Amino acid sequence: MKFPCLIPLIPLAWSLSVLFAGAGAADEEVVLDDHQVIVQVRGVVCSFCAHGTEKNLAELSFLDPAHFGGDGVLMDIHTQRITLALDPDTPVDYGAIHQAITDGGYDAERAYVRVRGVVEQGDGRVLLTSASNGQAYRLDGVETGLPAPAGPVTVEGEVSANDMARLADGEPVPLRVTAIEGAQ
Amino acid sequence: MMPAVRARSVLFGAAPVLVSAMLAAPALAHQPVMDMAPRWKGGYGFQIRQTHYGSSSLLNGTSEIANPFGLDKSVSTTWLEGIYTFRREVRLTVKIPYIDQSRTGLQGGAPVSASGRGLGDVVIGLPLKRYENRETATSNIAITPSIRLPTGDTDGGFPVGDGSTDFGVSFSASFESAGIYQYYDLWFWENGSGENGIDQGDEIGFDANIGWHPYHDNLTNTGIFLMWDLAARYEGDGRDLFGPTGGQRISTGLAAVYYTGGIMLRGEYRTPVHENVTGTQLSRGDEIGIGIGFVF
């Protein structure tokens, strides 16, 4: 009977899959271009399974559908990241991104953001106002009390999934800063 | 043998050969389009599959014996399968078979040829899933109650239905990373007594699909899956007009899946590696299937 010979393949394949999973590229460096948001999404390892997620995201009004095959959304199943091409003139609704992914059957982890704008300080916090669409970001992890840069700067950082989900309309987006370019 | 053939046809149509892909497997046991899709709220899909099996190998227990009367069997089924996802944890599936079959069996010691064609027994399932999304993988466990309705015609020499309402349940688990897909399903059908003396035994089965994802293009969402498929079946003793039914069977084979966007094509082949039938029956033989599925 051949069946007993096949049985060991099941745990073997399971073990291999765990190895493959561990070798995923989710920790690969994030490279942000202007007018893009990259969302780290847990479990996006199959585009066919995430077809609904892409469809949900493609309906967001602040995307630029001229990119990524005509819908402004690019899924990378090897890094579990979804890149959104943004319309530079329209503020980003991070809550809508989070909801689209949740309804799609997945869980957003964080969004990687790159914004060029002007920094202001007040009330013990540092704010960045986007030069292209006026959207405000609250810069976390930046020392307060220092003189604000005189001109525009480019800030890269992360918005957590919790903050994406609970952001209120008009509220500055909490951004954990990872890099600032152009500051004196 | 009639009911066994009919039931096997329905079951195999409902049996996994997938993946979801991960994936990409349009022929899962209780997920018509695939195990993993559509997992989005309000998602829906359908697929059309054609399966065929048949044989002229006559078995007595596990031994192949001479077939001097030229007994044989051929069953082709076209499946229309639909799915709706209320939310990722709750889905509804419907499988509608159209069967075209023929066989030569023994009646009163003489070979008799018969055929049947038409709508078979419709299967409705309610997959209830629990997902876990991890950094580089996603998985789910599911319980799926099912009912098989007696919609198939029970008349004729080789009827496409047995007239019984059957109840089933499946316990499944799947795991998927970008490179590997696995699906395991343990299921049970309680088969009611049918009409015209047909009384098929209850069934228990185990299916495993292990898939490799060698190619995927992010920009076009196009890729290929290659899968190994294993199916084990035990069917309790029963009877139909031509004699006993029931036995054990293990078959294995390969499946290939091509997908692009929300469209998936699948082809599969499976062959028996072990059969132990009750009394004397025809082997199920090799199975082939092709299908195309769409999700929205």
Side-chain angles (χ1 to χ4, degrees):
Chain A
M1 191 162 106
K2 302 174 187 175
F3 181 58
C5 306
L6 303 174
I7 288 290
L9 291 177
I10 296 174
L12 175 63
W14 183 274
S15 305
L16 285 174
S17 73
V18 171
L19 289 175
F20 273 74
D27 54 353
E28 210 172 79
E29 184 183 357
V30 177
V31 179
L32 280 162
D33 289 334
D34 288 340
H35 311 308
Q36 287 185 354
V37 166
I38 297 178
V39 188
Q40 189 75 48
V41 182
R42 296 169 73 89
V44 172
V45 293
C46 157
S47 68
F48 186 80
C49 319
H51 181 69
T53 302
E54 177 157 352
K55 191 176 65 170
N56 291 346
L57 290 167
E59 292 172 356
L60 298 176
S61 60
F62 49 86
L63 297 197
D64 180 357
H67 300 270
F68 303 145
D71 65 0
V73 181
L74 179 66
M75 282 191 298
D76 186 335
I77 66 166
H78 299 291
T79 60
Q80 292 78 53
R81 289 174 187 151
I82 299 178
T83 303
L84 305 176
L86 303 175
D87 173 0
D89 299 328
T90 309
V92 177
D93 184 343
Y94 291 92
I97 295 174
H98 187 276
Q99 191 64 50
I101 291 169
T102 301
D103 287 346
Y106 294 92
D107 302 308
E109 238 179 334
R110 70 186 74 88
Y112 298 100
V113 178
R114 176 183 170 95
V115 183
R116 183 164 178 78
V118 176
V119 174
E120 298 171 303
Q121 294 192 50
D123 299 332
R125 58 185 192 170
V126 182
L127 295 179
L128 172 74
T129 302
S130 168
S132 60
N133 58 39
Q135 186 164 21
Y137 291 82
R138 189 192 75 213
L139 305 186
D140 295 339
V142 174
E143 193 175 346
T144 58
L146 297 176
V153 296
T154 300
V155 176
E156 291 187 359
E158 301 173 9
V159 182
S160 73
N162 281 343
D163 287 334
M164 294 170 73
R166 68 186 178 202
L167 258 179
D169 274 353
E171 182 184 350
V173 180
L175 186 65
R176 190 176 72 79
V177 176
T178 55
I180 300 180
E181 299 170 10
Q184 300 298 312
Chain B
M1 224 183 273
M2 266 184 261
V5 168
R6 198 272 318 155
R8 285 174 182 175
S9 170
V10 172
L11 271 173
F12 257 87
V17 257
L18 166 116
V19 84
S20 149
M22 98 189 95
L23 305 205
L28 279 185
H30 301 279
Q31 295 81 26
V33 175
M34 56 185 280
D35 171 52
M36 290 288 189
R39 62 191 287 170
W40 50 95
K41 183 179 181 181
Y44 60 97
F46 70 90
Q47 76 174 2
I48 299 171
R49 288 193 304 123
Q50 175 110 37
T51 61
H52 176 83
Y53 68 88
S55 172
S56 59
S57 296
L58 197 58
L59 299 177
N60 184 283
T62 58
S63 304
E64 183 169 355
I65 60 175
N67 183 5
F69 294 106
L71 309 184
D72 63 8
K73 177 179 60 184
S74 173
V75 179
S76 295
T77 307
T78 303
W79 292 88
L80 174 60
E81 303 173 337
I83 184 167
Y84 182 79
T85 300
F86 298 93
R87 51 195 170 95
R88 75 173 90 167
E89 296 89 357
V90 183
R91 302 178 185 178
L92 181 67
T93 65
V94 178
K95 297 165 179 270
I96 304 170
Y98 182 86
I99 300 170
D100 186 355
Q101 59 190 7
S102 62
R103 70 175 178 179
T104 302
L106 280 180
Q107 254 183 342
V112 175
S113 294
S115 62
R117 181 183 297 176
L119 177 71
D121 293 344
V122 171
V123 181
I124 299 172
L126 185 70
L128 306 171
K129 290 175 170 285
R130 179 178 177 83
Y131 277 95
E132 182 180 356
N133 291 317
R134 291 185 284 168
E135 196 169 277
T136 58
T138 186
S139 59
N140 75 72
I141 56 175
I143 179 170
T144 304
S146 298
I147 185 171
R148 188 161 50 209
L149 302 172
T151 51
D153 191 351
T154 59
D155 294 332
F158 195 5
V160 295
D162 70 355
S164 71
T165 299
D166 308 322
F167 298 94
V169 64
S170 144
F171 303 93
S172 63
S174 74
F175 176 92
E176 181 181 4
S177 66
I180 295 282
Y181 174 78
Q182 297 175 74
Y183 176 85
Y184 305 100
D185 185 13
L186 179 65
W187 52 262
F188 174 76
W189 275 106
E190 180 184 33
N191 292 311
S193 294
E195 300 173 359
N196 302 328
I198 299 172
D199 188 3
Q200 183 195 354
D202 296 341
E203 295 164 279
I204 187 167
F206 173 76
D207 294 293
N209 287 166
I210 298 175
W212 174 46
H213 198 184
Y215 170 72
H216 173 79
D217 178 59
N218 284 325
L219 188 59
T220 59
N221 290 330
T222 298
I224 293 172
F225 269 92
L226 301 173
M227 279 171 288
W228 171 66
D229 174 49
L230 173 73
R233 305 281 184 268
Y234 169 81
E235 181 184 332
D237 292 347
R239 286 203 66 81
D240 71 7
L241 298 178
F242 282 8
T245 63
Q248 306 150 32
R249 183 179 69 257
I250 298 168
S251 55
T252 188
L254 296 173
V257 173
Y258 167 85
Y259 62 88
T260 182
I263 303 172
M264 183 167 55
L265 296 163
R266 180 187 174 95
E268 63 207 30
Y269 170 78
R270 189 158 53 186
T271 190
V273 293
H274 169 74
E275 286 182 286
N276 183 6
V277 300
T278 300
T280 299
Q281 301 178 41
L282 285 165
S283 164
R284 183 179 179 90
D286 294 347
E287 301 166 66
I288 58 171
I290 56 170
I292 182 168
F294 305 85
V295 291
F296 305 93

